[in-house]
Amino acid sequence: MRAWAVVCLCLAVVGGALAPARAAWAQTPAPDLRAAHASCARSMVRIEGVNATFGSGWVVELGGHRYVVTNAHVVAGETDLWVTFNTEEGRVGSLGTIAYLSHVIDLALIEVVGAIPVEPLRFVSGRVVRGERVVIGGNPGGLSFITTEGIIGGVATGSEVANACGAGLECLVVDAEAEPGSSGGPVLDHSGNVIGMIWGVYTGASFSIAIPAETLATELMSADRVLLARSHR
């Protein structure tokens, strides 16, 4: 539930004429998120498994190679995956396999057959602040490549989110409710940089839980080392 500040503009008599009273504070213009919506729609993907599972993901580059990032629970128990990309020429599908599964956070990397035809997303630099407006991408229900907006409402810790972000680490709370199929979708700031990745809905509340970019980046560095060592065997 969003909290909105309401500014009451009153009239005061000045020199016998009506004039607007000076506002007690200035309103900060909301950022234009249209470019972030476009970036999100271009770089997110739809993931489908042979066991009728489906979810979302996005593209990252590690060691000069592009992978699809998603939640581990999206691809759990799957061997072959179908990954759909939203390119400028239209939607393109490719077979994919699991390249990396994290044992620390709910993260997996998918390697696809052939080149990935969309650009990777960049990570945000600096800490995310409460109240920041964000763009969220996902494939809720039977829909594909849907983007929406929300606000960072705070952080969550504890046993309910430990499997998502790691024991003792913070998850982001976003005031937008994730639907089945949205797991693994990117959360972007107004510049189109990755702030986090959707994990699921917090139990008993209509808020989404997201793994923060800092946590994702740390685990992706570990994944890069594993993938590099594997390629040199």
Side-chain angles (χ1 to χ4, degrees):
M1 179 177 180
R2 299 184 177 88
W4 297 92
V6 179
V7 179
C8 178
L9 297 179
C10 304
L11 296 177
V13 178
V14 180
L18 291 176
R22 181 174 297 176
W25 63 87
Q27 288 183 300
T28 302
D32 188 341
L33 298 176
R34 286 176 292 183
H37 277 275
S39 179
C40 189
R42 285 195 304 269
S43 293
M44 63 179 290
V45 306
R46 180 181 174 92
I47 302 167
E48 298 172 76
V50 296
N51 296 321
T53 59
F54 68 97
S56 305
W58 43 285
V59 178
V60 69
E61 186 168 303
L62 295 175
H65 191 79
R66 293 180 183 180
Y67 296 91
V68 170
V69 186
T70 187
N71 290 140
H73 76 258
V74 169
V75 297
E78 299 286 356
T79 53
D80 296 317
L81 301 160
W82 186 254
V83 181
T84 304
F85 301 97
N86 190 30
T87 73
E88 293 182 358
E89 291 74 30
R91 296 178 184 179
V92 177
S94 181
L95 287 173
T97 56
I98 299 172
Y100 178 80
L101 281 174
S102 172
H103 300 292
V104 180
I105 65 174
D106 195 347
L107 176 144
L109 290 178
I110 300 172
E111 187 169 17
V112 303
V113 176
I116 289 181
V118 298
E119 291 298 315
L121 290 171
R122 300 170 298 176
F123 281 83
V124 69
S125 59
R127 189 169 179 83
V128 179
V129 297
R130 184 191 298 269
E132 184 168 354
R133 296 202 64 83
V134 295
V135 172
I136 304 159
N139 301 287
L143 301 174
S144 298
F145 304 103
I146 303 301
T147 60
T148 187
E149 296 177 16
I151 296 174
I152 299 297
V155 297
T157 58
S159 59
E160 287 197 32
V161 298
N163 290 336
C165 304
L169 298 178
E170 294 179 341
C171 284
L172 296 175
V173 178
V174 186
D175 76 331
E177 187 172 353
E179 301 291 340
S182 295
S183 293
V187 181
L188 308 183
D189 67 4
H190 69 279
S191 297
N193 299 315
V194 176
I195 281 179
M197 177 171 67
I198 292 294
W199 173 71
V201 178
Y202 194 79
T203 303
S206 58
F207 292 95
S208 294
I209 297 298
I211 305 172
E214 185 177 1
T215 304
L216 292 170
T218 299
E219 186 59 20
L220 287 172
M221 285 191 290
S222 297
D224 190 29
R225 290 191 292 267
V226 171
L227 293 168
L228 181 62
R230 188 182 301 165
S231 66
H232 288 168
R233 288 178 183 172

